[in-house]
Amino acid sequence: MKNRAIEYPHPVLNEYTNDFDNCAFNLSVGSHSDTGNSIDIELSYSLTGSGIQSLISQGLAKVFIRVVCFRTSFRKVFEMSNEDITVISLPKKNVTDSIDISAAIVAAQNINNYCLPEFNQDYFGGYPGFKLRKGDIIANEPGLTIKLNTILEKNMAGVVFINSNSAITEPKVYFASVEETDPSLTDYITISLPDSEYKNYAKLSTKKHLKNVLARFLQGALVFPAITEAIARLRREEELEEDPDCHYRGTIWAESIYNALNKMGIDELATCNQSDFEIANKLLGDVVGDSINTLMQKMIDWSTIQQEDEAL
C-alpha cells in the first residue's frame, strides 16, 4: 500500500519529507518463481544514508517488508537481509488478484539520542536528539502493487515500475532482458524519474483526492509510452534474422505482453498490421481515451468550483 503523508514526531526518511539531505530508501523486486503451492519473490532494498546504515549494522534498526492481499485479508511481515537478496514465499491459497508490498526501516530497540549527520540542518541543526521507541519508523518507501496471474501481470501497467533516481536530470526507461544480472532491473520495465518529478508523481498517485481521478492520466503520461516502445522492441526482436545481443522474451514483462496479445488474437507482432501505438493502447484498455476524458472532466470540475472558464 502506498504511504500517506503522515506527520511523525521525529525525522523520517521518505518521499514526503525533507527531513534528510541527499538520502534515499527504495525497494526493488527481482525474479519470481511460481511453482508448487507457493509464489516466491526476490526482494532487495537500496539505502543511501550513512547514519541509518550504521544503525542497521549495529543492530539498532531493522528492515522489514509488509505484504498485504486486500482481497483475502492476508497480511505478513518479513525481515529483510541487510546484505543480500531476501526471498519471500507466499502460499497461493492465501493470495489472489494482487498483493501490496512495502518496506520500512524501524528501530529495533529504544534509542534515547536519535541524531544523525544526514538530518536536514535547516530543520534540525543544533537539536540535541530524539527519543525513539522500539518499532518506531525511521524510513519507509511508497511500496508497490503486483497483480497476479498468478505471478504474471493481468494489467499491463503492472509490468512497469516507476522509481526515483537522484543521479539523473531527465526521465530514463530501462527494458530488462533475460541477460540482465542486476536484481533491481530484472524482469520488468523500469522508469526512473529525477527526484523532483518523482515526488510530484508520488503525491499525484497516493493522495486519495487525486489518485482516483488522475490514475489513468498518469498511466497515459508514463506507462503508455513505455508499453508502446516495449511492443516495438518485441516486434524488432521477432523480425531480426540474426540472434540479437539481448533477449526480451522470457522476462516477466515480455511474457505478460505476449499472454495479453494472445488473448487479443495476435500470435506474432511481426505479421500484425496494427501499429505499436494501437496495440499498446488496447493492452492498457484505451488509456488514451480515458486520459483525455478524465482530464477534461477534472478541468470541468475545477472550472465549476473556481468559475475560471465559462466555456468549459
Side-chain angles (χ1 to χ4, degrees), residues 232-290:
R233 289 178 179 239
L234 293 177
R235 194 193 295 266
R236 286 197 299 270
E237 187 175 46
E238 290 183 11
E239 293 172 343
L240 286 175
E241 296 181 359
E242 299 179 356
D243 190 39
D245 294 332
C246 63
H247 301 79
Y248 298 121
R249 187 142 200 179
T251 61
I252 284 181
W253 73 261
E255 293 304 318
S256 297
I257 288 177
Y258 274 117
N259 184 49
L261 290 174
N262 289 336
K263 293 179 180 179
M264 292 169 53
I266 300 174
D267 296 324
E268 292 184 351
L269 287 167
T271 58
C272 179
N273 293 326
Q274 298 180 60
S275 69
D276 303 332
F277 177 98
E278 293 167 335
I279 295 173
N281 188 47
K282 289 180 180 178
L283 287 176
L284 290 167
D286 190 21
V287 70
V288 173
D290 286 349

Side-chain angles (χ1 to χ4, degrees), residues 285-302:
D286 190 21
V287 70
V288 173
D290 286 349
S291 299
I292 294 172
N293 294 334
T294 297
L295 182 59
M296 186 63 186
Q297 184 58 52
K298 194 59 182 176
M299 290 178 67
I300 292 173
D301 293 341
W302 287 334

Side-chain angles (χ1 to χ4, degrees), residues 164-178:
S164 63
N165 186 339
S166 59
I168 61 176
T169 58
E170 59 184 21
K172 303 287 185 182
V173 62
Y174 179 82
F175 296 84
S177 66
V178 294

Side-chain angles (χ1 to χ4, degrees), residues 108-120:
Q109 61 187 61
N110 294 340
I111 302 175
N112 292 324
N113 187 27
Y114 177 53
C115 185
L116 301 179
E118 55 261 41
F119 282 176
N120 187 329

Side-chain angles (χ1 to χ4, degrees), residues 132-150:
L132 295 187
R133 297 171 299 176
K134 181 179 179 180
D136 279 351
I137 298 292
I138 294 174
N140 53 23
E141 50 81 48
L144 53 92
T145 298
I146 297 180
K147 298 182 183 296
L148 307 173
N149 185 22
T150 53

Side-chain angles (χ1 to χ4, degrees), residues 23-208:
C23 295
F25 175 55
N26 295 294
L27 177 68
S28 299
V29 177
S31 62
H32 308 73
S33 64
D34 180 12
T35 58
N37 296 320
S38 66
I39 298 170
D40 297 327
I41 305 175
E42 292 185 355
L43 297 165
S44 61
Y45 71 88
S46 60
L47 173 63
T48 304
S50 59
I52 298 179
Q53 288 176 336
S54 177
L55 292 177
I56 294 173
S57 299
Q58 297 175 63
L60 298 176
K62 294 183 178 181
V63 186
F64 290 96
I65 306 165
R66 181 172 181 261
V67 181
V68 178
C69 178
F70 292 100
R71 288 287 301 276
T72 63
S73 299
F74 173 83
R75 285 170 171 78
K76 190 169 183 179
V77 174
F78 301 84
E79 183 176 349
M80 293 197 73
S81 169
N82 296 340
E83 299 178 353
D84 203 356
I85 292 172
T86 299
V87 179
I88 62 173
S89 183
L90 308 176
K92 286 183 181 178
K93 65 180 181 179
N94 292 340
V95 295
T96 187
D97 189 32
S98 66
I99 55 174
D100 286 70
I101 304 176
S102 58
I105 302 174
V106 304
Q109 61 187 61
N110 294 340
I111 302 175
N112 292 324
N113 187 27
Y114 177 53
C115 185
L116 301 179
E118 55 261 41
F119 282 176
N120 187 329
Q121 294 303 303
D122 291 339
Y123 296 165
F124 309 111
Y127 199 86
F130 297 84
K131 289 186 177 181
L132 295 187
R133 297 171 299 176
K134 181 179 179 180
D136 279 351
I137 298 292
I138 294 174
N140 53 23
E141 50 81 48
L144 53 92
T145 298
I146 297 180
K147 298 182 183 296
L148 307 173
N149 185 22
T150 53
I151 200 61
L152 295 182
E153 313 297 335
K154 290 181 180 178
N155 182 344
M156 284 301 101
V159 302
V160 179
F161 285 162
I162 301 173
N163 60 23
S164 63
N165 186 339
S166 59
I168 61 176
T169 58
E170 59 184 21
K172 303 287 185 182
V173 62
Y174 179 82
F175 296 84
S177 66
V178 294
E179 291 83 8
E180 180 56 59
T181 58
D182 185 341
S184 66
L185 296 175
T186 54
D187 280 324
Y188 287 87
I189 300 168
T190 302
I191 297 175
S192 296
L193 300 176
D195 282 348
S196 58
E197 281 86 344
Y198 181 79
K199 287 180 180 179
N200 288 332
Y201 165 78
K203 290 178 182 178
L204 290 172
S205 58
T206 56
K207 293 289 187 180
K208 186 175 181 180

